[in-house]
Amino acid sequence: MAKVFLTGGTGFVGAHILHELLVYGYTVVAAVRSSWKGQRLEQRYTDELGDRLSTVVVEDISKEGAFDEAVQTFPFDFVIHVASPFYLFPKNPEEDMLKPAISGTLGLLQSVKTYAPSVNRVIVTSSFAAMENPTSHPPVYSEECWNPITYEQALDPSLAYFGSKKLAEKAAWAFMLEEKPSFTLTTICPPLIYGPVMHHLDTLNDINTSNEFIRDVILGKFQEHIPPTPLYLWVDVRDVAHVHIQALDAAGAESERFLVVAGHCDNKAIIDVIREEFPQLAPILPPKILPGDLPLNVYQYDDTKVTKILGLRYHSLRDSIKATVATLLDKGDGLEKVVRPRCLI
Ligand code: NDP
């Protein structure tokens, strides 16, 4: 079976991609930042799936040649590059976010070109953040869209993440044009991702950025109000993982950029699902009568390409939020203490 080199397998999205790769029978080498993270990841798979998983340490993906050795572990068929810092307001936007995102992506492409000639296709996890223009939304978002952020603007902490995703993806496409490697490139652009949390969390404080809101809701942080929705588009993590795996060898997926969106939603819609599916949490949720903020004339999106070429069918918002909350309740020792005594009356 084919061999995949994966980055970001210790995170929210990457853990699902790793799991689906193993279930589909791929052999996977996951690049991790330290040997103990690698051991912890390998220990998760104590059954026969684990026979096809190994890890390799790449300490600093920003460093020149960081991936040179790692991509020679096996004659790989595919590479999936998920690793990139995802949080808002980095202390040092250039060092903490722009360099790992841009140099990490370019460095990996260069290492594959030089040292891994067997690779057919590289998939890069980009983002709707690379497309979004918050000051002037187009009527319909599609794969044609790019945010207007420059490198200089991305040095502003509030824009750093958006800049990092756009500049890293642009750099990857430019690499393909200039270097003409023997592999093809596909990029995946999801908006806010929710869904079950599979990766290791020491505490719920370590939750990934896109699930922070749901964690805070079930910790009772918003009992009187609903905070503004940051983005009105969402998708389930299992669908995002599935698209990455489908894109590895689907005909027509090469050299394409895919916008992957399940639908519109606002924070109120998420809280309503939580109230209905977890009635024990109702006492610590904001009142049902509070309005949502999804505009009537909200921007639309065109996901024709992903449904046509990759045949994707999306999880519903109810299913996604229900699964997210269920795993958080399960994981959260702290949550047990905070939530149970107050709402299981
Ligand atoms: P997580 O924070 O859960 O995972 C990020 C992964 O990238 C982890 O494996 C992490 O490693 C690794 N990583 C982060 N920074 C670095 C770095 N400087 N050097 C090496 N590795 C690093 O985030 P998600 O899983 O949510 O995001 C994964 C990808 O998906 C990112 O590219 C993100 O931009 C993209 N994305 C996510 C969306 C979402 O809503 N979640 C939406 C659209 C795109 P470690 O475990 O060691 O920290």
Side-chain angles (χ1 to χ4, degrees):
M1 191 65 182
K3 295 178 178 59
V4 180
F5 181 78
L6 171 71
T7 72
T10 51
F12 170 53
V13 174
H16 280 268
I17 294 174
L18 171 60
H19 186 75
E20 190 158 333
L21 285 169
L22 294 174
V23 167
Y24 272 62
Y26 288 94
T27 294
V28 183
V29 175
V32 292
R33 285 204 257 191
S34 66
S35 55
W36 68 266
K37 282 189 181 181
Q39 281 162 17
R40 200 168 57 193
L41 195 60
E42 289 176 21
Q43 277 162 10
R44 180 158 335 129
Y45 290 97
T46 49
D47 57 9
E48 70 280 7
L49 293 184
D51 296 346
R52 284 182 280 102
L53 169 65
S54 54
T55 57
V56 59
V57 176
V58 177
E59 262 177 34
D60 180 1
I61 62 175
S62 310
K63 260 197 182 157
E64 206 182 325
F67 289 103
D68 285 358
E69 277 182 35
V71 298
Q72 299 180 62
T73 325
F74 275 128
F76 290 105
D77 302 280
F78 304 109
V79 171
I80 304 183
H81 181 45
V82 184
S84 204
F86 178 19
Y87 53 94
L88 305 174
F89 301 101
K91 279 199 186 110
N92 183 336
E94 187 157 49
E95 292 302 319
D96 301 345
M97 194 149 278
L98 296 174
K99 279 191 183 167
I102 302 167
S103 307
T105 304
L106 276 181
L108 177 55
L109 294 177
Q110 188 62 60
S111 300
V112 174
K113 182 184 176 214
T114 313
Y115 296 107
S118 55
V119 170
N120 292 316
R121 190 170 295 177
V122 176
I123 313 287
V124 171
T125 315
S126 184
S127 173
F128 181 76
M131 301 176 162
E132 185 185 9
N133 185 347
T135 53
S136 173
H137 292 289
V140 181
Y141 277 103
S142 74
E143 286 86 359
E144 306 300 311
C145 298
W146 291 94
N147 80 42
I149 298 169
T150 62
Y151 193 92
E152 287 64 37
Q153 290 168 332
L155 296 173
D156 175 336
S158 69
L159 296 176
Y161 176 67
F162 301 87
S164 77
K165 296 309 288 183
K166 180 258 186 99
L167 296 164
E169 192 191 342
K170 278 269 185 194
W173 288 117
F175 177 95
M176 296 304 290
L177 268 182
E178 286 155 21
E179 299 282 330
K180 301 192 178 21
S182 56
F183 57 82
T184 62
L185 175 70
T186 299
T187 62
I188 310 292
C189 300
L192 271 177
I193 306 174
Y194 305 119
V197 175
M198 289 183 85
H199 64 295
H200 177 85
L201 294 181
D202 282 328
T203 74
L204 287 180
N205 287 334
D206 304 327
I207 191 91
N208 66 292
T209 300
S210 59
N211 281 321
E212 277 176 0
F213 169 69
I214 296 176
R215 174 204 59 194
D216 289 345
V217 169
I218 65 177
L219 284 173
K221 197 169 163 190
F222 306 116
Q223 299 194 26
E224 309 295 336
H225 74 290
I226 302 176
T229 308
L231 175 65
Y232 298 114
L233 302 175
W234 77 279
V235 66
D236 186 279
V237 67
R238 292 161 291 187
D239 299 330
V240 174
H242 191 60
V243 162
H244 281 75
I245 278 81
Q246 292 294 103
L248 289 177
D249 52 9
E254 66 280 5
S255 311
E256 291 289 354
R257 187 180 193 218
F258 289 100
L259 174 59
V260 190
V261 181
H264 290 99
C265 84
D266 62 4
N267 284 347
K268 178 183 168 56
I270 292 172
I271 291 170
D272 285 347
V273 171
I274 298 175
R275 187 182 295 102
E276 287 158 23
E277 296 293 337
F278 299 90
Q280 74 272 28
L281 297 177
I284 56 163
L285 300 181
K288 195 175 176 188
I289 50 158
L290 289 181
D293 62 0
L294 182 68
L296 278 177
N297 61 346
V298 66
Y299 42 82
Q300 301 298 309
Y301 59 90
D302 179 358
D303 66 340
T304 317
K305 207 201 281 185
V306 76
T307 47
K308 225 173 168 178
I309 298 181
L310 301 181
L312 181 62
R313 293 183 62 198
Y314 296 103
H315 283 81
S316 67
L317 183 69
R318 178 170 299 275
D319 186 7
S320 188
I321 301 305
K322 197 174 154 185
T324 315
V325 174
T327 51
L328 294 186
L329 288 174
D330 209 33
K331 277 184 187 278
D333 266 1
L335 198 60
E336 289 280 309
K337 288 184 204 111
V338 176
V339 173
R340 298 278 160 134
R342 291 169 65 191
C343 59
L344 285 182
I345 357 170

